């Protein structure tokens, strides 16, 4: 059957084969996103090329471009292009246009994906996270399995972050793992799967992944895990809201208490988080948490001067550093706050909200919130897909405060893929039928 998929026989037109091949590549793409992000990008190029041969391009392009969520992604991307005119850091602006081009992926995905492939693609992402988690435990316990990756050129291991096998850092890994766990929890709670062995496998993954997330050094991962688990429970049992909230709060509190006592990673990061917050009240911004607070304080000075349109694409760091140069007298604070400036074109404030509002002002923040709003309000009759939309919108609101979504393209591409899958209505596909 697989061989016939890619063979141009008389029973299937080349347009049908192109469309089907693109959908199978999307399955591969979803698996590779948390395992080999660079390889995944190359696979998506194949998806785009095959889409061009699938027929009815004009009709499907017009349908996709009218989708409010797809249009919101495009507007958010175009904002970076329009605001680069007059920018003093053109190289940074061009870098963002190049790196953020995946914001246009929803247009391609909604043009080619077929409804019968949606859950296959979604499951492929979850399997990719399961594979990543297995390798994470292999690193933790030094299993011989990790030695095999010396012979796999396209799947390099991450050697810089503890127990994070493939993704850029512990934050991206924690976010993606939280998404996968939330989806699994929803499926288990709503009895989406009837097979006993599948239920056992998913339950085992949920438990092991819960342990795994407390074995990495991601404070955002800890926060997002709790909120997403609570969100999932409230979404499923929303008719018993008060009872569910009470029971869930007790269970989550107990879980975090156990993690604090038995996970040195979690304990150290929680203590550091509280120390950072306390020290920042005394004017110390030299710690990781303090740096974020310092950026908000000095960023506010720039925002007040450019509230509506911001300072332009890529000019945000230099403008805030200029204020720091004028006002900061503590040498340790100055050195810590200056670190991100040395990141070049990829520099940021480690906060999506602050990055957006300093560069693009209130208009930019409106376009970002509009993107989330359009995801939330999109009419999707499939309850599970509606849940995923709500989960991702809710998660974006949380992530954007202490971290990044789009510069961390591994997170951004996962969100873009999952959101795009939820935009397909439950109707008969015409892709490749011409």
């Amino acid at each position: 059957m697989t061989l016939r998929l890619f063979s141009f026989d008389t029973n299937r037109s080349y347009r049908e084969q192109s469309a089907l091949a693109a959908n199978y590549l999307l399955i591969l793409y979803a698996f590779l996103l948390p395992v080999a992000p660079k390889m995944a990008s190359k696979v998506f190029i194949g998806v785009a090329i095959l889409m061009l041969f699938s027929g009815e391009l004009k009709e499907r392009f017009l349908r996709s471009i009218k989708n409010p969520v797809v249009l919101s992604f495009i507007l958010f991307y175009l904002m970076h292009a329009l605001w680069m005119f007059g920018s003093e850091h053109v190289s940074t602006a061009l870098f963002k246009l190049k790196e953020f081009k995946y914001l246009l992926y929803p247009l391609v995905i909604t043009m080619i994906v077929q409804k019968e492939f949606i859950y296959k693609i979604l499951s492929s992402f979850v399997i990719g996270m399961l594979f990543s988690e297995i390798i994470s435990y292999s690193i933790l316990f030094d299993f011989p399995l990790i030695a095999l990756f010396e012979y796999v050129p396209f799947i390099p291991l991450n050697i810089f972050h503890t127990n994070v096998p493939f993704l850029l850092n512990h934050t991206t890994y924690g976010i993606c793992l939280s998404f996968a766990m939330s989806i699994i929890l929803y499926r288990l709670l709503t009895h989406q799967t009837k097979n006993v062995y599948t239920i056992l496998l998913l339950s085992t993954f949920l438990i092991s992944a819960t342990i795994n997330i407390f074995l990495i050094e991601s404070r955002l991962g800890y926060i997002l895990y709790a909120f997403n688990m609570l969100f999932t429970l409230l979404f499923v049992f929303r008719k018993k809201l008060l009872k569910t909230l009470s029971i869930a709060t007790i269970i989550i509190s107990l879980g975090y208490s156990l993690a604090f006592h038995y996970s040195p990673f979690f304990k150290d990061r929680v203590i550091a988080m509280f120390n950072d917050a306390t020290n920042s009240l005394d004017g110390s911004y030299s710690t990781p948490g303090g740096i974020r607070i310092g950026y908000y304080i000095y960023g506010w000075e720039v925002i007040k001067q450019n509230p509506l349109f911001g300072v332009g694409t890529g000019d945000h760091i230099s403008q805030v550093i200029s204020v720091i140069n004028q006002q900061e007298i503590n040498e340790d604070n100055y050195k810590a706050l200056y670190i991100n400036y040395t990141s070049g074109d990829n520099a940021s404030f480690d906060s999506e909200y602050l990055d957006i509002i300093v560069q693009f002002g209130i208009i930019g923040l409106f376009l970002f919130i509009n993107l989330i709003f359009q995801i939330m309000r999109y009419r999707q009759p499939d309850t599970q897909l509606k849940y995923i939309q709500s989960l991702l919108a809710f998660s974006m609101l949380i992530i954007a405060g202490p971290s990044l979504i789009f510069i961390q393209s591994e997170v951004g591409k996962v969100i873009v893929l999952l959101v795009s899958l939820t935009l397909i209505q439950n109707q008969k596909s015409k892709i490749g039928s011409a």
Side-chain angles (χ1 to χ4, degrees), residues 26 29 44 64 67 69-71 73 102-115 118 121-122 371 375 378 380 385 388-389 392 412-425:
L26 279 174
Y29 174 74
F44 195 85
S64 293
N67 186 296
V69 179
V70 173
L71 185 59
F73 274 112
Y102 69 84
L103 292 172
L104 303 178
Y105 285 10
L107 181 62
V108 176
I109 295 172
T110 53
M111 285 178 65
I112 194 64
V113 73
Q114 298 177 3
K115 67 180 181 63
I118 291 174
I121 297 168
L122 185 61
L371 172 59
I375 295 171
Y378 188 81
Q380 173 53 259
L385 296 181
I388 293 173
Q389 285 180 337
L392 294 173
K413 287 178 180 178
V414 167
I415 290 175
V416 162
L417 172 66
L418 298 182
V419 168
S420 299
L421 294 178
T422 69
L423 303 181
I424 308 303
Q425 298 291 344

Side-chain angles (χ1 to χ4, degrees), residues 10-36:
T10 56
N11 296 323
R12 191 176 286 153
S13 72
Y14 78 92
R15 290 180 174 180
E16 290 176 316
Q17 294 191 51
S18 297
L20 284 171
N23 277 267
Y24 277 106
L25 280 185
L26 279 174
I27 294 176
L28 178 60
Y29 174 74
F31 174 81
L32 289 175
L33 272 181
V35 174

Side-chain angles (χ1 to χ4, degrees), residues 87-89 92 295 298 302 311-326 337-338 340-342 344 347-349 358-359:
S87 172
E88 297 178 6
H89 296 78
T92 300
Y295 282 142
Y298 289 115
V302 177
V311 298
T313 308
D315 286 353
H316 55 315
I317 295 291
S318 62
Q319 291 290 329
V320 173
I321 288 295
S322 177
V323 174
I324 292 172
N325 287 336
Q326 298 171 21
L337 294 168
Y338 195 82
N340 281 22
Y341 187 60
T342 62
S348 75
F349 296 123
V358 174
Q359 288 181 94

Side-chain angles (χ1 to χ4, degrees), residues 102-168:
Y102 69 84
L103 292 172
L104 303 178
Y105 285 10
L107 181 62
V108 176
I109 295 172
T110 53
M111 285 178 65
I112 194 64
V113 73
Q114 298 177 3
K115 67 180 181 63
E116 58 267 27
F117 278 85
I118 291 174
Y119 285 107
K120 295 175 184 177
I121 297 168
L122 185 61
S123 296
S124 185
F125 165 71
V126 174
I127 292 170
M129 286 309 306
L130 172 59
F131 176 72
S132 183
E133 188 210 348
I134 291 171
I135 304 304
S136 177
Y137 277 111
S138 297
I139 294 172
L140 178 64
F141 296 109
D142 198 23
F143 289 159
L145 179 63
I146 59 175
L148 296 176
F149 287 93
E150 296 179 11
Y151 308 99
V152 183
F154 301 113
I155 309 180
L157 280 176
N158 184 342
I159 60 175
F160 300 105
H161 294 273
T162 308
N163 304 333
V164 178
F166 306 117
L167 295 177
L168 180 65

